[in-house]
Amino acid sequence: MFQGVVVSINIASAAEAAMISVAEAHAVPGKGLEGDRYFNQAGAFSNPQPDRELTLIEVEAIDALKHEAGIELTPGAARRNVVTRGVPLNQLVEREFQVGEVRVLGLRLCEPCAHLARLSHEAVLPGLVHRGGLRAQILTEGVIRAGDVIRD
């Protein structure tokens, strides 16, 4: 068992657009977060798939990247929708969990890619291997808010 928290929610309106932090976002099964590039099928990898609905990353991984590699990323620069604290994301592959009022299913790790490196810093590739976050499918509709509890 664990209990963590949503640190921030980030969306971008189009592929390569800057991520903006929002206080809350409406999560829709089969679509993603309203206002996000993947919800509107305007992302860099916009073929509709469950693993594009929601992405999460641990703020602890972002902090470690700064301490280990000297790379300072803002939570939005990691290009994940939900930044968490106190959540063991790698352990949530193939597991259901709750993000505020929304039920999600962890599908696979969200490893760093060349696209992320191009938009941020090339050292994110080795710096975020196996801690680049989690891709998840939204199972129930609802609103995710900054400060929401995340639990299994």
Side-chain angles (χ1 to χ4, degrees):
M1 295 236 4
F2 69 89
Q3 182 169 307
V5 67
V6 173
V7 173
S8 69
I9 303 163
N10 306 284
I11 59 174
S13 60
E16 301 185 16
M19 299 288 281
I20 59 167
S21 180
V22 295
E24 62 182 40
H26 183 215
V28 179
K31 299 275 291 179
L33 297 181
E34 274 188 29
D36 189 54
R37 62 211 183 273
Y38 291 107
F39 185 93
N40 299 319
Q41 296 186 12
F45 308 98
S46 278
N47 51 339
Q49 293 181 354
D51 69 350
R52 302 277 183 225
E53 293 178 20
L54 186 69
T55 56
L56 304 96
I57 190 168
E58 300 168 15
V59 74
E60 294 89 347
I62 296 170
D63 291 344
L65 185 64
K66 178 181 177 182
H67 295 314
E68 295 169 8
I71 299 167
E72 192 163 344
L73 288 182
T74 64
R79 304 208 55 86
R80 307 296 187 252
N81 299 125
V82 175
V83 179
T84 69
R85 180 180 309 282
V87 180
L89 293 175
N90 286 16
Q91 296 175 24
L92 298 179
V93 174
E94 299 181 0
R95 288 184 52 197
E96 286 188 25
F97 59 102
Q98 198 79 20
V99 181
E101 63 186 43
V102 178
R103 193 83 181 151
V104 302
L105 171 65
L107 296 177
R108 66 184 178 98
L109 296 183
C110 192
E111 295 291 2
C113 64
H115 183 70
L116 174 62
R118 188 171 53 77
L119 295 176
S120 59
H121 191 286
E122 64 185 34
V124 299
L125 289 173
L128 289 178
V129 168
H130 306 313
R131 58 183 181 187
L134 179 70
R135 295 185 173 281
Q137 179 180 13
I138 298 168
L139 301 177
T140 62
E141 186 169 349
V143 176
I144 298 172
R145 295 173 179 84
D148 275 353
V149 171
I150 304 171
R151 59 183 167 75
D152 53 354

